[in-house]
Amino acid sequence: MRVSANELSSQLAKALLGLGLPQGISRDASEMITWLELYGFETSIYVTNSLGLLEASSTVQSPSLAAADNRLTIDLQGDSALRSAALYLELAAAKVATVDKITVSITQCPDAFWLLGYLPRLVKRGMIVSADCPLPRDNERVSLSFDEHGSPILAERLESSDRLASDQSVIEVMLAPSLMKYQPISATNLASDEPAANECPAPPTEKPSATDNSQLSNETLNNRYQESLARGLSVSDELWAALKRYGENTLVEADEQSRQGAGPSE
Amino acid sequence: MNTPVATPRPSHGRPASLVMDLERLGSMSPSRLSFARTLLRSMVENRWSVDRTQFALDEQGFGEVIYRITTPHQQYHVVIFAQPLADELRTDRVIAEAWDVTFCLVEGEVDSALSASLAANIPLQEAGRQHPRVLVISRANKSVRNFAHFVAALSSGEQPDVGTLKRAGYLYRTTAVYGNGKFGIADYSRVQSNPDFSRPFSPQMAAVYILRQFSIDQVEHIARCQAPNTTVAMDRELQRYVGIGNSTGLGMAPFLINHPQLIHQWIANREHALRKASRETPTSEDIATLQQKLAVVRQYFDETWIEDPEQAKRNLEVINDIDWLSNQLNDYRPGQWSWNCLQESLREQAGLETQELFNSLLIDLYPACTDGLADQMAADESIELQPEMSSKALQQLLEDQCAWAIHSTYEAPDERFWFWYKSIEKEEPRLGERGVDSGSEKELPLAVAPALRALYQDLIAYRVNHADALAVEFAIDHPEHLETLRRAQTMAQTEFGEIRSNLWHEHMKPMHLLRAKLSFLGANRFDPKGDRWVRVTFFQGSPLLSEVNEGAIDSARLDDWSFALAPKQSNSGHP
């Protein structure tokens, strides 16, 4: 079925509220997922897995945070990125004005890719942002940077012959104040043995040997965005039913007395 | 068009503590800035034309009708389905599943595939899956009494009794008008960049305006089918007096809370226009024009029949206030007093309804004071965390900007009387009595004041051991406050976005929320049914489609219809 972006975002937010996430977290998570869909990353098929992670809240340990120099490392202990990981990006954003750049590594997070959908918000607040992240599809990772409007301008998909171990799932986000000259993380940087000219740190994962380098231009991504708005977003019936089911946890059963709660209309 | 950012204007006018009082907001009247009026001005100024391209109704008026809107940029179509409806199924509630009429506004052409999709889904409304080229979907029910009378009168060669429209100023009333991506239609972000419909609610207003023409066309058609030899056309003055009703309940209430930056933009622009108008020095001509308008408004309130006794009483008070005001104006000598002085006098002398009515009339008196503002009614609605703000600064912000909310405890029974929730029945918003009705554990977070209080309390407790924490560190440890925290930070940069009321309070009237928004939409003839439903009328008195198409309307006639007077009729019903 096809749904509008607003529909998807609203239903996701309701489902996440129904799972017990706070209002602000639910809103952010729903917008992250919707952003990735709008730009054609086709990640909605992984929403169900993330909802399962969120449902397993009783087994979740609190994230652990390590800060050293200009790097924040957050170990999410296997939890979903949808729960609170974006707040750690905000923590980095709070510190970025006082440093040249800051790198955020989020580890032990099976669905860290959702955080790509949060980054445009940081860009629109004046930061330079780039990110490198494995996608849930086998042997695939993406490298993104953004223009000043928050539109993705460079996305490279690489196939890695070295599949990441699940416990090394990681997203690396580089933040810099906008006045600084900065070179974003790129696949070229990752593939090279030479350090990047601006001292981008190598990602903690093993460097992939690029067997396929499909480059998506800003124009291509923006075209996808416009097409998504024009045609709607494709969502499986199963996912929609699951979102509705979770969302019903926020609704109250009706009876005659509750109908009076809306007042008489006639 | 770029979406303007909601920025505070230099405020030397009315403070937010006055303007954002819920009861005052609920006393507002439409003005030149209202969206129904800006739409019609835009249609004429930009030379839109509307023609009927399909009229497939049977003798009972059931079938499909299409109106085509042509603008300088492109074409749109309003597609209307009229279907039989048993009287016992006719309800204005959101939980309805069938209606007399369902309709939509579509961008571009309607080919056979889209036509089939619309025919299958528009009548289903929320239960259908709508096409992404649909900008608006809506539905409407007949005023059964008016409709039957109009058909009977016209078919017998008589003009309908205008008195019927004084009681209910319409043949149809809408019960929901959806935009912004609902049920698969176009997202607002697509409409935002549309040069014809970039203003908030302009596509919805356009669809409703066309429905008004349909209601006239349909009733004339049915009369002609019943009595082809004796039927007469509806007199043009009577046509103008036909509006479109709207029945609004609690479903509209969350909007006022969930879109604070938009509300700020609307009210800030209105206050800006009011300040400019208030600074004008009244001339004798201004006074004479205002007197004429007051006479019209007085007659309007006098002849408008309102069912709700409380509102009827308020309307009588408005009439009394207008009489007092007219006397003041009669005695005016140039330079004797300013508009500001008169507004001060009204605050002492007159009720809220009259005060805000006068403000709307003052804005209308000086059209130039709204120049450019109609194109600035949209807003950037992003609410972002300022993570680097210190918790100390955050606490100070709450104390400075949210004093209206944070000093109540919300523990007294009357302070936490209601809770807002959504029913499983079509997610209809409802009010429950705390401790009596079930569902409070699923309460909607609409009551901003108690949320600010809870944030403030927890922040103070947090800072005992984390005095130097940043706002984001507090949010990490208290994610339940994230939304309220960043809302407080964001709205601190605006003036008019927060409605200063405890929405839990026993004496809170949701009606005020509804009426505030409806006044900006351009509705009039407020007829509440209790404090949770209201019937209003749109476009009553507005120029006809034929006049818009001709484009030859003088500016006074084009815009001066907020308080429509009934056309004069002889006893036989003829004008």
Side-chain angles (χ1 to χ4, degrees), chain A residues 9-32:
Chain A
S9 181
S10 298
Q11 194 58 55
L12 281 164
K14 286 177 210 167
L16 294 166
L17 278 170
L19 275 166
L21 266 63
Q23 185 189 7
I25 301 291
S26 300
R27 185 207 277 241
D28 291 345
S30 66
E31 289 178 8
M32 283 153 50

Side-chain angles (χ1 to χ4, degrees), chain B residues 43-192:
Chain B
M43 288 176 76
V44 171
E45 286 162 11
N46 294 299
R47 297 180 178 275
W48 289 19
S49 66
V50 182
D51 56 305
R52 198 175 69 193
T53 58
Q54 178 176 313
F55 193 78
L57 298 183
D58 65 18
E59 290 183 352
Q60 293 172 291
F62 303 131
E64 182 178 333
V65 177
I66 301 180
Y67 296 83
R68 178 178 58 200
I69 303 172
T70 303
T71 78
H73 301 102
Q74 65 165 311
Q75 288 186 333
Y76 307 84
H77 292 80
V78 176
V79 182
I80 302 174
F81 301 95
Q83 49 256 345
L85 181 67
D87 286 345
E88 62 269 19
L89 294 179
R90 186 174 293 108
T91 173
D92 293 351
R93 297 287 295 271
V94 162
I95 55 178
E97 293 182 349
W99 305 269
D100 286 308
V101 152
T102 53
F103 60 106
C104 62
L105 171 66
V106 181
E107 186 179 30
E109 292 298 322
V110 181
D111 59 20
S112 55
L114 178 56
S115 179
S117 171
L118 296 177
N121 287 283
I122 295 297
L124 299 178
Q125 295 284 289
E126 296 96 332
R129 197 95 288 271
Q130 309 301 340
H131 194 278
R133 273 206 285 128
V134 174
L135 303 184
V136 174
I137 63 167
S138 182
R139 68 289 195 105
N141 286 330
K142 288 175 183 166
S143 166
V144 173
R145 184 165 45 193
N146 280 3
F147 203 91
H149 169 72
F150 269 61
V151 169
L154 292 173
S155 62
S156 62
E158 299 283 328
Q159 291 296 319
D161 178 12
V162 72
T164 60
L165 292 176
K166 291 182 187 178
R167 291 175 72 92
Y170 49 84
L171 295 170
Y172 276 101
R173 63 179 175 275
T174 58
T175 63
V177 186
Y178 294 116
N180 191 17
K182 297 279 192 320
F183 318 117
I185 70 175
D187 280 295
Y188 178 61
S189 48
R190 205 155 76 78
V191 179
Q192 258 181 317

Side-chain angles (χ1 to χ4, degrees), chain B residues 378-399:
Chain B
D380 178 355
E381 295 197 78
S382 51
I383 293 189
E384 295 290 339
L385 183 66
Q386 296 165 41
E388 71 284 359
M389 183 181 284
S390 69
S391 56
K392 180 179 177 186
L394 177 60
Q395 181 176 333
Q396 192 67 55
L397 181 152
L398 292 171
E399 289 165 358

